[in-house]
Every structure is written in structure tokens, then in C-alpha cells.
Amino acid sequence: MARTKIMIPGVAGPVEAWVHLVTGRVRLSVDGRELRNQGNNVFTLPGLGGTVVTAWATVGRLDAHPVVRVGDVSYPTGEPTSPLLRALAFLPALLGVFQVIGVMIAAPFLLGTLAIVRSQLGLRTKTTLCTVIGLIPVVAIITMITVNAIRRYSS
């Protein structure tokens, strides 16, 4: 997984920030050494001259790249998620109108699209995958309803 390195003044090395695909938790490393989350997405980064720099990392539910904040300055680690991709990620949720069965079918597809949105894939790839994965359960439900209707009214 490709990660963007950013330079933060006062920190002893390049900072990498990424989002875990499944849990959505922010991870940080400095000079390739992963840092421990101190709680509430607070990280202590090694500073220049042996000092410690406190940083906060935030990420939205559908963002692939977190924002690292040191003091009053925010450092984005990548491009924000496009509104189209945010909408496509929730395409499987449309099955909620079919009550329990629809939710049971849609849940794994929804988790899949959320993992894709958080991934480091390109925008076109993410959009294509979310569209295809989002439409699979919708087409399946519509096909099942159509087949049942044909059977019911043809007999």
C-alpha cells in the first residue's frame, strides 16, 4: 500500500499516516517506525534534538487519508475523498428498503466498498470498484423480485 510521506516542522523525520482498511483507525509512523496511539488519536512524535511533538490525527469515515494536526496547523496527508465516491460507497445501503434480508445481503458489500474507499487505489479504480460492488446486490434483489413476480402471476 503506497503511503504519502509529509514533513512536519520540528519532527525528526518524514511522517507517514494511513487508515486501516477494516477498522478505519489512523496509523502513524516516523522514519518507518510505527507509533503507538496514546488514545483519542493522539500520537507523540519524536522531535528534533530529543524533544517530543504531540500530534492529533483525524479521519472521516470515508476518507482514505488522515489529517495530522500539530498545534494549530493541520497537515493533510492526501487528497480528500470525492463526493461521487462517498455516494457510491453507500450504494449497497439502498437494499435497506428490503428490510432484514436486504440489510443482510448488503452488509458485506457495504463493508467492501468502505474498505475500497479507504484504500490507496486511484480514484478511477475506486469509483469503478464501488460502482460494480454496489450494483451487484441491487441487481440480485431486483432479479429475485422479478423472477418471483413472474412465477406468481404466470401460474
Side-chain angles (χ1 to χ4, degrees):
M1 161 184 337
R3 300 178 187 152
T4 305
K5 294 182 181 183
I6 59 171
M7 294 301 296
I8 297 176
V11 176
V15 176
E16 291 179 297
W18 66 98
V19 180
H20 189 274
L21 291 179
V22 178
T23 64
R25 293 185 183 193
V26 177
R27 312 299 289 266
L28 287 181
S29 71
V30 175
D31 267 343
R33 199 176 103 227
E34 190 167 340
L35 303 172
R36 195 168 151 259
N37 187 336
Q38 304 297 318
N40 294 329
N41 288 330
V42 176
F43 295 85
T44 53
L45 312 177
L48 297 174
T51 62
V52 174
V53 177
T54 302
W56 291 265
T58 58
V59 66
R61 284 270 175 232
L62 295 176
D63 289 332
H65 305 285
V67 174
V68 179
R69 187 170 50 91
V70 176
D72 292 334
V73 182
S74 294
Y75 300 92
T77 60
E79 294 291 321
T81 303
S82 74
L84 173 63
L85 193 54
R86 288 175 190 270
L88 287 175
F90 281 102
L91 194 57
L94 292 176
L95 291 177
V97 300
F98 295 108
Q99 311 264 321
V100 175
I101 293 174
V103 171
M104 288 177 9
I105 293 172
F109 289 97
L110 183 60
L111 292 175
T113 57
L114 293 177
I116 290 168
V117 169
R118 291 182 186 134
S119 74
Q120 299 297 319
L121 298 171
L123 179 60
R124 286 184 182 169
T125 306
K126 287 181 185 182
T127 304
T128 302
L129 287 172
C130 283
T131 302
V132 170
I133 290 174
L135 288 177
I136 288 171
V138 172
V139 169
I141 289 288
I142 291 171
T143 303
M144 287 177 5
I145 291 171
T146 305
V147 168
N148 284 336
I150 291 171
R151 284 183 185 163
R152 179 175 289 157
Y153 293 113
S154 66
S155 24

